[in-house]
Amino acid sequence: MSTTVLDRPKGNLEPLNVTEIDPFIDLAAEIDRLRKERNAVILAHYYQDPEIQDIADFVGDSLDLSRKAANTDADVIAFCGVRFMAETAKILSPEKTVVLPDMAAGCSLEDSCPPDEFAKFRKEHPDHVSLTYINCSAEVKALSDIIVTSTNAQAIVEQIPEGTPILFAPDRHLGAYLARKTGRDMTLWPGSCIVHEQFSERELIKVMGENPDAPVTAHPECPEAILAHADHIGSTSSILKFVTETDAQTIIIATEPHIIHQMEKLAPGKTFIGAPGADGECNCNNCPFMELNTMEKLYLSLANLAPQIEVPEDIRVKALQSVQRMLDMSPPAQPIRDAAAASA
Ligand code: 13P
Ligand code: SF4
């Protein structure tokens, strides 16, 4: 069955019931048309498929995307990322319709931290301030004092008064990295990212040997054994900034490889080598959750205004406090130099 989406006035929020996609339609053009019709903004994380990154109104890291979601005047946010990111958008902008192309797009860190167990963890450490990575459910955000992302975590830890012990959940690698960097007393939740745990130190050393002039840049979700080889450690936006600013022409990238698309756009001419997994192959570290979002599902989510993110109001109001504290304590965004535009 082919489906034609009728032209409607801007901001039309009437859901359609499109179940099948005409294989002959120009998906990008239809998504663009629906974006205008819905007065929608498409937000995408750097780990999304290149086609989705290219059609998005804005591509960024989890902090940038939260800021965009908080400030948009769109009626609909089509969130191309994982569920905790779309939930954060809804927490910040409850009056907006927030759609996620595939509701199964979760995160292993969120899965590792069930709210009831986290509540117990907090009760066992009553004197601790709880800093929680944004990669968690709305319920866990509601139980936390302050949310952090990998962009602002160190700056936020440094604002916690000396001597106050910190509970950090759910990423033990990011938590351990922050404890090493700041020297703070941090009790860590034992969660991890299944993607960043795939990198093989042995294979990384081989690639480094083959490319002796290439610096290694790594996301702090990587285990310490990988971070020990990194010349630069940071969030996705920080990694992107590093690769555009370094004089190095070849860089080894230890994070989810879809970000390389953005690197090739911002710093064309440089060579980006994905850090290998245990089988020695590059690009074997795709995030299986991020990959669930496709152009087809993005189109359907805009047409049907589904699946929609809903957060119960009592949880949202509590979660907003910890998310808002994060925004208030975050340093200003660091612009990423567009080397391609600069040399044009
Ligand atoms: P960033 O905030 O660095 O974009 O990280 C999000 C994420 O899920 C990394 O795995
Ligand atoms: Fe979660 Fe890891 Fe995927 Fe990021 S890369 S969304 S932390 S599973």
Side-chain angles (χ1 to χ4, degrees):
M1 183 193 84
S2 83
T3 309
T4 310
V5 179
L6 301 172
D7 279 328
R8 285 158 193 270
K10 195 170 178 245
N12 185 329
L13 296 185
E14 190 187 318
L16 299 174
N17 186 21
V18 182
T19 51
E20 284 175 49
I21 302 175
D22 178 346
F24 296 104
I25 64 168
D26 177 343
L27 261 186
E30 283 299 313
I31 289 169
D32 198 34
R33 194 153 70 86
L34 280 165
R35 159 174 38 207
K36 293 188 185 104
E37 183 182 311
R38 299 302 196 191
N39 185 28
V41 66
I42 301 174
L43 302 182
H45 189 265
Y46 293 125
Y47 296 167
Q48 290 289 280
D49 189 80
E51 261 188 304
I52 294 182
Q53 292 189 40
D54 288 348
I55 206 165
D57 295 284
F58 180 77
V59 189
D61 71 9
S62 354
L63 178 62
D64 301 326
L65 292 167
S66 306
R67 285 175 163 145
K68 283 283 171 200
N71 296 321
T72 181
D73 56 8
D75 295 315
V76 174
I77 299 174
F79 210 113
C80 299
V82 291
R83 200 173 48 238
F84 77 79
M85 296 177 178
E87 266 184 4
T88 307
K90 187 71 179 176
I91 289 165
L92 285 160
S93 287
E95 71 293 354
K96 315 267 183 230
T97 298
V98 180
V99 293
L100 179 66
D102 191 321
M103 202 50 97
C107 169
S108 65
L109 283 166
E110 174 181 345
D111 294 344
S112 79
C113 193
D116 50 343
E117 288 178 33
F118 181 72
K120 220 169 112 217
F121 183 61
R122 283 225 63 181
K123 272 212 181 91
E124 287 162 3
H125 302 88
D127 303 332
H128 289 57
V129 167
S130 107
L131 262 54
T132 306
Y133 195 28
I134 197 165
N135 299 39
C136 65
S137 64
E139 289 92 331
V140 168
K141 287 183 175 73
L143 292 163
S144 303
D145 293 322
I146 309 168
I147 300 305
V148 303
T149 73
S150 38
T151 291
N152 57 26
Q154 188 178 336
I156 291 180
V157 169
E158 285 166 352
Q159 291 172 63
I160 306 298
E162 283 288 344
T164 306
I166 296 170
L167 276 191
F168 190 86
D171 187 359
R172 67 193 170 103
H173 297 307
L174 173 61
Y177 167 72
L178 291 168
R180 289 194 298 277
K181 282 286 277 189
T182 63
R184 298 298 299 264
D185 171 9
M186 292 174 72
T187 302
L188 310 179
W189 182 270
S192 60
C193 162
I194 51 167
V195 174
H196 288 85
E197 280 202 326
Q198 295 295 318
F199 295 116
S200 155
E201 184 186 13
R202 196 151 46 101
E203 295 298 330
L204 176 61
I205 289 169
K206 274 192 214 160
V207 174
M208 289 167 67
E210 288 156 13
N211 299 275
D213 297 329
V216 176
T217 176
H219 197 281
E221 288 175 13
C222 293
E224 187 178 357
I226 298 296
L227 296 182
H229 298 283
D231 299 279
H232 168 264
I233 297 170
S235 62
T236 51
S237 56
S238 171
I239 288 175
L240 210 44
K241 194 168 156 56
F242 172 78
V243 305
T244 59
E245 291 178 359
T246 178
D247 290 335
Q249 293 304 302
T250 302
I251 304 121
I252 301 169
I253 312 296
T255 193
E256 212 274 2
H258 283 99
I259 194 173
I260 292 175
H261 175 64
Q262 211 55 229
M263 294 174 178
E264 286 169 345
K265 286 174 83 168
L266 290 171
K270 290 191 180 179
T271 302
F272 306 106
I273 303 174
D279 62 359
E281 291 291 313
C282 287
N283 293 356
C284 45
N285 298 77
N286 293 359
C287 174
F289 303 105
M290 292 276 182
E291 277 189 331
L292 291 173
N293 295 326
T294 60
M295 287 286 278
E296 286 77 7
K297 290 179 201 169
L298 171 58
Y299 164 74
L300 290 173
S301 69
L302 281 167
N304 299 334
L305 291 179
Q308 272 188 37
I309 297 283
E310 299 294 350
V311 179
E313 188 59 8
D314 55 332
I315 291 171
R316 189 194 71 79
V317 169
K318 285 191 198 137
L320 180 61
Q321 291 182 6
S322 58
V323 172
Q324 191 58 53
R325 276 189 205 112
M326 167 187 85
L327 295 177
D328 295 344
M329 294 171 84
S330 292
Q334 294 290 313
I336 298 171
R337 194 168 62 106
D338 185 338
S343 64

